[in-house]
């Protein structure tokens, strides 16, 4: 199939003077899982509600499999869009059993067919024994799986998930999100899920879109939005990051306090002599104990799996370095920092 | 990656998208100008019925406006005189006292009968709601007969030298009567809210070391605020429109002044002008309600499925609490029924036949049931607009739905006489127009509970249903409706109870020869045939207790 | 498989719906006329309650074969209803408790035949021939029986005396009371009436909404005397027996306090059953009906040759005031006076 499952063009939504979604373009393809990553108030939930049809765009249009479903003057109602949605609170119907919840979207099927599909959906989420339970008799994780089964049962072309894991404790989150990924992949259903948690976004999505103030700043594979964020703003959202100033030379080389770094840039090419700022992730910064080094360990944060050391350079800049958990460098010790990466660093034009 | 996919009826669903007509949202303005689209537009399925209800509710206002436009300058002079302001102030005083009094009585009564282990909780629960069915003109008359300066009580005390009891007329008598007969509005709405409240909140508060009393004041009471407000609003509007108690207790309220115009001056325009003043008072009450309500909104997705809770142990206070509750019931229900029974028995002893008015009872039950069903159904769109699509339209609808309730029954009835005899001739003087008038009068009683139950249903549930492919109608029928059931049932029951005793509209708009229990009571008591009035009055209480009992028993399941 | 819970919830709803469906068919209107000799219908709007006039209306149905359908209500409500219905009123006959309502609606009535009007005394009919009195009632002072003969008031004027402070009840909203004040204005003059009203208020007169509670209050001794119509007392006596603690005082002084007035009826111009309406009025002025009023409602019959109830002084004995009854239609002037004096707001 050539058309994307979901296509948003110049999608805009205003609430009064606030631009919740700002001229946003987005294509989601069959079988693809797209995460929309953004802080609260970034407009990511509004985006989902626009796609679902609960909000009408102020401008722009939405197509589902090449059929226009929303424009500013008319909209296909949500029930006719073949889109599924799982909300943060799951919204299971409290007065219906698990079975009836799942059967809710299947009312157009003949009864026998419907029962078969409910069984399939229950099997998919491995809750075969729970069909007669009421939602309040389920744990949070079970509720979430029922919500997913209910959404998938009618075979929607796309599933929208709004912060699907935020109501669960962290140990369960990891297990469940892999489970959800497995289920989505097995159905080859396209999915868009919004989250404020980058780990969650990276873990199960094919592509991650980064949203700030209603704008989709970058959408790409998890690796690319992490390693090559389109702007310092994106970088701040996709990872723990520090910046170091430098001056460009030719061939993508930038001279910094940490020496000469090979960089690519968000703009086509940084002209030699142009000021720049280079993104340094904690993983990129090596520290070698050296009484004559140009940095000092300002603080250390032991986290179990690793330890984060904050280094203050003589210039006053601070950088963070992630070391293995048995690193014993104490706070106050002098170090020689060096930036090491198997691929180019990311650089952005900067003011002097 | 492409393992087994569930049966693909995907083509079917996509085809649905393709063939579906894009449907236009209803919006107030063409879109190019709309800078502000804060809340999603209300769907036509909701907006159209809501607007129709609003139009119906506006009929009395239209009528009053028409009458007032034709009013002479004299009528307006009458309105702007100082005495009008005085009477207005008297009404305000009465309303304030009765509303606070009803809260003071209704909230503890509701808590005792739902949350505590007070002895005989079931009978208390049922009886607690029943004073609502005693018409105020009966209640006040009976109160005077029993507790008046030379009433039955004084008669009993005569041997110990009590020659005369203190006067109960005026503000104290009117307020006491109205509190005793209208506190069930608060009682019933608060009970509903208590039943829906999440028990885990209470439990966690108790675990945090809070005593039962502290939990009530810190946790329960604040959560009950919307229910208390909507109950108090009903009491307020009911008090504003009451004529029975104020006239017999000789308290010159605003409604009393309006009746004066009809009764003795046969002056419809002056009455209409004064009624507009009453509408103004009602508007003020609604404004205050709005302020008091604040922006509180609580959704609870797990509504209706509350776990059974264990009652609060009152310990040593069990019996004193029960005694207080029974004392209240003795005043509100015991005295009236005792006096009625006394009249009935003394009447029979004097040779009066005991007339059981089965036709009147059947008529009363049938129109009351119809009114309850209609009001509960019509409350849905208005409540949904006000909760789900707040804005100028919803606010206007909500307010206009309350005006009928604040007006004396005669004003609403005459408005429908005016429109009905001209525009709805086939329905005029049939039970259908009569039921219509009940809806105009009593819709707020259904609206309050409907609204508070809707407030506790998360809109996400409806959205989830929508996106699972349910049409708006199906969402209402299979999700919103069932979840609102307890609220609708409560509202319907309230409307049923008030309709059972309604008088002016029943007399004026009822079919020719139509008799209900209330008209039978009126017909007899108007002419001082008290023994004859006693039987139908007792029947009102008995018949009305059936739905109340059913409701209370259902609550347990 | 529907769950138990949903069945539980559906049951009451189904019950209600079934009941409603069953009830919808219930008595929508009065039974269809089916008697042989069916002479068509009649729509009566009665400001007099069913407990008073129901039996005599039934007698009319049986005697005439006319299916009379009745809307009962208070006189003022019925009057307002007729006014609102205007030309589309289904009513044929309006039967009112008092002449005030009839006067207010007189333009809507059809002229009555002269012989019907002449059946009653001149004071008991509309000067323009638009309504006719059906029964008479007298203004009285109801008093508590603990008062001795010499303690009773001799006149209305006397009630402003400090001796009566806080001991008198009156119903200013009552239409008959208004007619009495109207008569007072003509007999005493505007100024004296005003002085009397003000004197009564200064004397702490107790305000009641209508007659019945005044009679009850007088019997209970809450007030010692009250200004009412005569027949309420007799209903109490019939129900409570002779130990009931109140009796009527007929002032019999030719003043406004001894006014005799009527409950009357009229035919609406817009009615569709003019002939039946006339039959109805004639029946109510017949010996049968007049006998009923005298015997059962303790009112005064208005045609010749019917005996007044033995408990009542006869009309001939009552020295009613000499007044042109046409003047009593000026309710507006009375209304204004009552308002100016603060009797009503």
């Amino acid at each position: 199939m050539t058309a994307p499952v979901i296509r948003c063009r110049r999608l805009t939504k205003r609430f009064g003077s606030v631009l919740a979604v700002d001229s946003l373009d987005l294509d989601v393809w069959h079988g693809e899982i797209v995460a929309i990553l953004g802080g609260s108030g970034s407009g990511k939930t509004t985006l989902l509600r626009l796609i679902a049809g609960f909000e009408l765009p102020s401008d722009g249009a939405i197509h589902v499999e090449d059929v226009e479903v929303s424009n500013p003057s008319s909209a296909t109602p949500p029930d006719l869009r073949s889109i599924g949605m799982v909300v943060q609170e799951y919204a299971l119907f409290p007065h219906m059993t698990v079975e009836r919840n799942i059967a809710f979207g299947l009312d157009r099927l003949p009864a026998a067919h419907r029962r078969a599909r409910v069984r399939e959906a229950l099997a998919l989420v491995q809750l075969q024994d729970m069909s007669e339970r009421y939602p309040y008799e389920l744990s949070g994780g079970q509720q979430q799986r029922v919500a997913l089964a209910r959404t998938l049962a009618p075979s929607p072309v796309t599933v929208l998930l709004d912060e699907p894991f935020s109501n669960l404790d962290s140990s369960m989150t990891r297990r469940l999100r892999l489970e959800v990924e497995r289920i989505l992949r097995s159905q080859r259903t396209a999915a868009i899920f919004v989250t404020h948690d980058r780990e969650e976004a990276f873990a199960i999505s094919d592509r991650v879109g980064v949203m700030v103030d209603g704008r989709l700043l970058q959408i790409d594979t998890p690796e690319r939005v992490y390693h090559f964020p389109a702007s310092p703003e994106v970088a701040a959202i996709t990872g723990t990051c520090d910046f170091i100033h430098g001056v460009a030379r030719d061939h993508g080389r930038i001279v910094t306090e940490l020496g000469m770094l090979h960089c690519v840039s968000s703009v086509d090419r940084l002209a030699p002599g142009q000021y720049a700022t280079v993104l340094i992730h904690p993983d990129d910064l090596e520290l070698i104990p050296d009484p004559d080094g140009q940095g000092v360990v300002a603080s250390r944060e032991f986290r179990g799996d690793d330890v984060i050391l904050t280094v203050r350079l003589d210039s006053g800049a601070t950088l963070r370095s992630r070391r293995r958990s048995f690193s014993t460098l104490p706070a106050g010790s002098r170090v020689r920092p060096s930036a090491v990466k198997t691929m180019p660093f990311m650089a952005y034009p900067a003011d002097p | 990656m492409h393992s087994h996919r569930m049966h693909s009826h995907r083509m079917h669903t996509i085809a649905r998208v393709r063939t579906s007509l894009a449907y236009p949202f209803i919006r107030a303005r063409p879109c190019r100008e709309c800078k502000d689209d804060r809340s999603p537009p209300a769907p036509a399925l909701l907006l159209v019925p809501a607007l129709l209800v609003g139009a119906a509710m506006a009929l009395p206002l239209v009528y009053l406006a028409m009458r007032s436009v034709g009013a002479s300058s004299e009528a307006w002079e009458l309105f702007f005189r100082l005495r009008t302001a005085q009477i207005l102030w008297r009404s305000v005083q009465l309303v304030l006292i009765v509303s606070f009094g009803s809260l003071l009585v209704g909230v503890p009564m509701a808590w005792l009968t739902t949350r505590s282990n007070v002895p005989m909780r079931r009978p208390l629960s049922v009886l607690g709601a029943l004073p609502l069915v005693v018409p105020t003109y009966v209640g006040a008359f009976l109160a005077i007969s029993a507790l008046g300066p030379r009433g039955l009580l004084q008669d009993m005390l005569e041997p110990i030298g009590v020659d005369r009891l203190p006067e109960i007329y005026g503000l104290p008598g009117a307020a006491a009567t109205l509190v005793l007969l209208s506190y069930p509005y608060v009682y019933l709405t608060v009970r509903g809210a208590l039943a829906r409240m999440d028990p885990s909140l209470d439990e966690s508060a108790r675990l945090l070391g809070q005593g039962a009393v502290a939990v009530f004041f810190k946790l329960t009471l604040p959560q009950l605020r919307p229910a208390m407000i909507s109950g108090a609003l009903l009491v307020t509007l009911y008090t504003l429109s009451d004529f029975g108690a104020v006239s017999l207790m000789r308290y010159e309220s605003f409604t009393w002044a309006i009746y004066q115009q009809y009764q003795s001056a046969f002056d419809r325009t002056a009455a209409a002008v004064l009624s507009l003043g009453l509408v103004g008072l009602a508007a003020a009450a609604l404004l205050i309600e709005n302020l008091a309500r604040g922006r509180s909104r609580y959704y609870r997705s797990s509504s209706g499925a509350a776990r059974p809770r264990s009652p609060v142990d009152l310990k040593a206070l069990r019996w004193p609490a029960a005694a207080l509750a029974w004392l209240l019931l003795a005043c509100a229900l015991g005295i009236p029924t005792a006096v009625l029974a006394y009249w009935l028995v003394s009447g029979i002893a004097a040779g009066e036949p005991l007339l059981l008015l089965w036709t009147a009872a059947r008529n009363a039950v049938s129109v009351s049931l119809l009114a309850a069903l209609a009001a509960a159904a019509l409350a849905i769109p208005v409540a949904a607009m006000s909760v789900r699509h707040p804005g100028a339209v919803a606010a206007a609808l909500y307010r206009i739905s309350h005006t009928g309730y604040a007006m004396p029954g005669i004003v609403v009835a005459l408005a429908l006489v005016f429109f009905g005899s001209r525009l709805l001739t086939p329905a005029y003087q049939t039970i259908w127009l009569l039921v219509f008038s009940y809806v105009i009068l009593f819709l707020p009683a259904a609206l309050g509970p409907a609204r508070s139950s809707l407030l506790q249903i998360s809109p996400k549930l409806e959205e989830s249903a929508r996106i699972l492919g349910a049409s708006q109608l199906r969402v209402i029928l299979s999700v919103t409706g069932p979840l609102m059931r307890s609220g609708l049932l409560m509202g319907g029951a309230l409307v049923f109870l008030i309709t059972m005793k309604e008088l002016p509209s029943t007399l004026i708009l009822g079919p020719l020869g139509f008799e209900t229990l209330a008209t039978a009571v009126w017909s007899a008591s108007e002419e001082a045939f008290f023994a004859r009035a006693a039987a139908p009055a007792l029947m009102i209480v008995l018949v009305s207790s059936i739905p109340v009992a059913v409701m209370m028993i259902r609550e347990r399941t | 498989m529907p769950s138990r819970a949903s069945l539980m919830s559906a049951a009451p709803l189904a019950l209600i719906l079934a009941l409603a469906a069953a009830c919808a068919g219930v008595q929508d209107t009065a039974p269809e006329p089916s008697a042989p000799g069916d002479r068509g219908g009649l729509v009566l709007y009665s400001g007099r309650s069913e407990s008073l006039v129901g039996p005599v209306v039934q007698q009319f149905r049986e005697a005439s074969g006319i299916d009379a359908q009745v809307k009962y209500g208070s006189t003022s409500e019925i009057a307002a209803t007729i006014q609102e219905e205007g030309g589309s009123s289904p009513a044929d006959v309006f039967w009112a408790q008092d002449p005030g309502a009839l006067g207010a609606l007189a333009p809507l009535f059809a002229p009555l035949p002269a012989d019907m009007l002449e059946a009653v005394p001149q004071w008991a009919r509309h000067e323009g021939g638009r309504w006719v009195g059906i029964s008479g009632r007298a203004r009285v002072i109801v008093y508590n029986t603990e008062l001795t003969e010499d303690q009773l008031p001799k006149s209305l004027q006397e009630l402003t005396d400090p001796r009566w402070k806080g001991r008198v009840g009156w119903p200013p909203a009552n239409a008959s009371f208004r007619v009495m004040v109207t008569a007072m204005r003509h007999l005493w003059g505007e100024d004296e009436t005003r002085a009397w009203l003000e004197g009564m208020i200064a004397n702490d007169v107790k305000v009641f909404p209508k007659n019945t509670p005044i009679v009850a209050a007088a019997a209970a001794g809450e007030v010692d005397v009250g200004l009412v119509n005569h027949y309420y007392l007799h209903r109490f006596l019939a129900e409570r027996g002779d130990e009931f603690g109140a009796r009527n005082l007929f002032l019999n002084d030719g003043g406004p306090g001894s006014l005799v007035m009527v409950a009357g009826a009229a035919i609406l111009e817009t009615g569709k059953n003019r002939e039946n309406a006339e039959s109805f009025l004639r029946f109510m002025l017949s010996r049968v009906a007049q006998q009923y009023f005298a015997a059962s409602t303790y009112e005064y019959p208005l045609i010749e040759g019917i005996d007044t109830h033995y408990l009542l002084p006869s009309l001939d004995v009552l020295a009613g005031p000499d007044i042109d009854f046409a003047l009593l239609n000026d309710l507006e002037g009375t209304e204004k006076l009552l308002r100016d004096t603060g009797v009503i707001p």
Side-chain angles (χ1 to χ4, degrees), chain B residues 148-151 154-155 157-166, chain C residues 146 220-221:
Chain B
R150 301 291 285 268
Q154 184 271 332
D155 221 30
L157 298 178
E158 184 97 53
I160 59 166
V162 178
D163 183 44
R164 203 179 173 90
L165 291 174
Chain C
E146 283 169 26

Side-chain angles (χ1 to χ4, degrees), chain B residues 214-473:
Chain B
V215 167
F216 179 78
F217 282 103
K218 288 185 186 167
L219 206 71
T220 313
L221 212 52
Q223 283 190 89
L224 290 179
R225 203 171 76 158
M228 286 163 60
I229 291 169
S230 71
L233 178 71
L234 291 178
V235 173
T236 297
L237 299 181
Y238 181 75
T239 305
L240 275 182
S241 68
D242 174 73
F243 175 66
V246 294
S247 64
L248 284 162
M249 288 296 178
R250 307 188 214 149
Y251 186 72
E252 297 171 5
S253 73
F254 214 78
T255 296
W256 185 81
I258 292 169
Y259 265 87
Q260 290 273 331
Q261 294 305 319
Y262 285 118
Q263 278 195 333
S264 39
F266 305 104
D267 188 345
R268 294 169 297 157
T269 49
V273 171
L274 286 175
S275 298
L276 280 180
L278 203 62
V279 172
L281 268 185
L286 283 165
L287 207 66
I288 293 168
E289 182 233 3
N290 201 30
L291 292 176
R293 196 185 284 290
R295 283 182 295 150
S296 54
R297 273 199 181 199
Y298 354 95
Y299 299 121
R300 219 191 79 181
S301 54
S302 61
S303 125
R307 278 175 289 123
R309 77 191 79 226
S310 54
V312 173
D313 188 357
L314 295 174
K315 302 199 181 86
L317 290 174
R318 275 184 84 205
W319 292 101
L324 271 181
W326 285 106
L327 179 68
L328 169 72
L329 290 179
C331 293
L333 211 55
I335 293 178
T337 42
V339 177
L340 287 173
Y342 168 75
W343 282 349
L344 189 65
V345 170
S346 61
I348 290 169
E352 279 277 341
L354 174 64
L355 294 172
L356 291 176
L357 305 156
W358 293 118
T359 312
R362 209 176 48 183
N363 284 342
V365 169
S366 57
V367 288
S368 302
L369 263 183
L370 287 173
L373 280 177
L378 295 178
I380 297 176
V382 180
M385 281 296 289
S386 118
V387 173
R388 294 287 191 251
H389 305 278
V393 178
L397 280 174
Y398 183 72
R399 291 197 183 129
I400 221 162
S401 302
H402 279 81
T403 48
Y405 197 57
M407 279 183 220
I410 186 171
V411 175
V412 172
L414 287 178
L416 285 184
V417 166
F418 180 81
F419 292 113
S421 64
R422 284 169 179 75
L423 307 174
L424 296 166
T425 324
Y428 186 60
Q429 290 191 347
T430 66
I431 60 167
W432 303 112
L433 195 69
L434 179 61
V435 167
F436 185 57
S437 77
Y438 292 147
V439 172
I440 293 183
L441 281 166
F442 303 140
L443 185 69
L447 196 50
R451 198 174 177 280
S452 28
S453 66
L454 193 56
L455 270 173
Q456 287 179 313
I457 303 170
S458 163
K460 300 271 184 197
L461 287 174
E462 289 159 10
E463 290 179 357
S464 293
R466 288 284 278 149
I467 205 155
L468 284 167
S471 65
Q472 278 160 342
L473 190 62

